[in-house]
Amino acid sequence: MTWTGFRHHELDADDWTTFWRLDPRGQDFRLTEWTGRPHRQGDHLWARAATPAGVRGAWRTAATSVQLDIRAALGIYNRIAPVDVLLNGVLHRRCEIGDGEQRLTVDLPGREAEVEIWLPQAGAIAIREARFDGAAEELAPTGPRWITYGSSITQCSGAYGPSETWPAVVARRHGWDGVNLGFGGECHLDPVAARTIRDLPADLISLCLGINIHGGETFNGRTLPGQVEAFVATVRQGHPETPLAVITPLPAPNREGTPNAVGLTLDDVRRLVELGARNDPAVEVIDGRDLLTADEARALYADDVHPGPEGYLLIADRLAPLLLRVAT
């Protein structure tokens, strides 16, 4: 299949394809769909997993246009992200997406070029296969495989477009075959996520851990280090020698120093995540506070936690050399 960056694809009777970043087959969704606290948002791991953040296809073609049928809905999101079309690695057109079924037609130069289509990183999305008005050769992904796991700050719903999330920018800059396992509000060290990383080929793995655990009061000071240790150990079952980085929470100036319901501040979470990660002496720990200063966070955040589009680009600039160092 042309598309890459997903774990499972599901084709319905009307030829609509949904790309799942975690494999839903045989899974009991009740394990993650806790509704006992209706005042809290979240608990939507599988809806996040069905959003194609980081999913893209590539072709070599001299066609003059490409069409893509797309079906989109807000679902649990407050926006539907666009589709990005790149030519030879440069953004050619950003297509805004509305609710419902629609057909995108994008003009191409009619000379041989590499065309990439990046699917939205926010929204409930399904597609039909892209159609060119001339011959098009499907291109398999190249470069080292990099898997990155995290929260909404890794999914990057608020980035300008799917090719400008920080994982996409880092992957494109280094020529890596990226897999984005960022799940907004849902980075809680779920075993299904650890098993997914374990079972996928990977040349580099990064785990951005802690912000959802702090906000969701998922673990306390007693349990968090062990959960991190167990997650890393599961990943290591499939990747005993693969370079692995753990990134602690980025600064959140308006939340720093404030204990959550289980008594942990963000600094506590950073220390406990690092403690659990360093049980594996080969893990590289990156302090999230090295990626943005508090002043940059105040200037670039869309709210107390989430960077805006320029913030994601700056995170990519800061993380790109750090992850390259880990990979080599």
Side-chain angles (χ1 to χ4, degrees):
M1 176 175 237
T2 302
W3 303 91
T4 189
F6 61 93
R7 183 66 171 133
H8 171 67
H9 72 279
E10 185 175 67
L11 183 67
D12 72 13
D14 297 316
D15 292 329
W16 290 103
T17 296
T18 298
F19 293 105
W20 291 85
R21 292 178 294 136
L22 299 174
D23 191 341
R25 294 173 296 179
Q27 298 291 334
D28 185 346
F29 285 15
R30 295 173 301 175
L31 295 175
T32 58
E33 296 294 329
W34 171 244
T35 57
R37 294 185 293 173
H39 65 286
R40 291 192 61 85
Q41 298 300 309
D43 303 321
H44 297 296
L45 174 63
W46 291 100
R48 303 289 185 191
T51 297
V55 177
R56 71 272 180 206
W59 301 260
R60 183 175 291 110
T61 183
T64 61
S65 69
V66 60
Q67 289 186 336
L68 181 71
D69 291 340
I70 187 165
R71 185 179 67 197
L74 283 172
I76 62 172
Y77 293 88
N78 59 15
R79 71 183 287 252
I80 300 171
V83 168
D84 281 355
V85 179
L86 279 60
L87 284 181
N88 297 324
V90 177
L91 182 63
H92 173 64
R93 182 174 164 191
R94 177 158 288 151
C95 305
E96 297 300 324
I97 304 300
D99 186 74
E101 297 181 13
Q102 54 228 279
R103 175 166 294 171
L104 308 179
T105 301
V106 177
D107 292 334
L108 301 174
R111 60 181 182 274
E112 187 169 286
E114 182 175 319
V115 177
E116 294 175 72
I117 300 177
W118 288 70
L119 298 181
Q121 79 275 19
I125 305 296
I127 67 162
R128 293 192 176 112
E129 198 58 45
R131 297 181 302 279
F132 294 84
D133 69 349
E137 174 192 1
E138 298 179 357
L139 299 178
T142 59
R145 167 69 68 83
W146 166 44
I147 301 173
T148 187
Y149 169 67
S151 66
S152 56
I153 299 172
T154 299
Q155 184 174 341
C156 305
S157 295
Y160 286 125
S163 67
E164 292 188 295
T165 66
W166 74 256
V169 172
V170 171
R172 294 197 295 118
R173 187 169 298 174
H174 293 320
W176 293 342
D177 174 20
V179 176
N180 186 333
L181 297 183
F183 307 110
E186 298 296 335
C187 184
H188 297 287
L189 304 173
D190 289 287
V192 66
R195 292 192 298 268
T196 297
I197 301 169
R198 177 195 66 190
D199 296 341
L200 286 171
D203 300 290
L204 172 66
I205 297 165
S206 58
L207 313 173
C208 304
L209 307 179
I211 191 65
N212 288 161
I213 291 166
H214 179 265
E217 302 111 21
T218 319
F219 304 111
N220 59 28
R222 160 65 180 82
T223 57
L224 178 53
Q227 292 296 320
V228 173
E229 176 194 3
F231 193 96
V232 170
T234 298
V235 170
R236 281 296 193 210
Q237 290 171 5
H239 303 284
E241 304 296 333
T242 302
L244 195 158
V246 169
I247 305 166
T248 65
L250 274 66
N254 293 333
R255 296 193 178 190
E256 300 288 345
T258 302
N260 64 8
V262 294
L264 298 182
T265 66
L266 270 173
D267 267 354
D268 294 330
V269 170
R270 292 183 184 104
R271 286 192 293 270
L272 295 168
V273 166
E274 181 172 0
L275 179 63
R278 289 198 184 281
N279 191 66
D280 181 332
V283 168
E284 295 278 346
V285 176
I286 297 173
D287 192 323
R289 293 168 296 186
D290 292 338
L291 304 180
L292 294 175
T293 68
D295 286 343
E296 288 169 337
R298 291 186 183 94
L300 296 173
Y301 279 17
D303 54 27
D304 286 349
V305 172
H306 298 93
E310 291 297 321
Y312 287 125
L313 296 177
L314 183 55
I315 291 168
D317 287 342
R318 301 272 169 79
L319 263 176
L322 299 177
L323 291 174
L324 182 61
R325 184 195 68 203
V326 173
T328 55

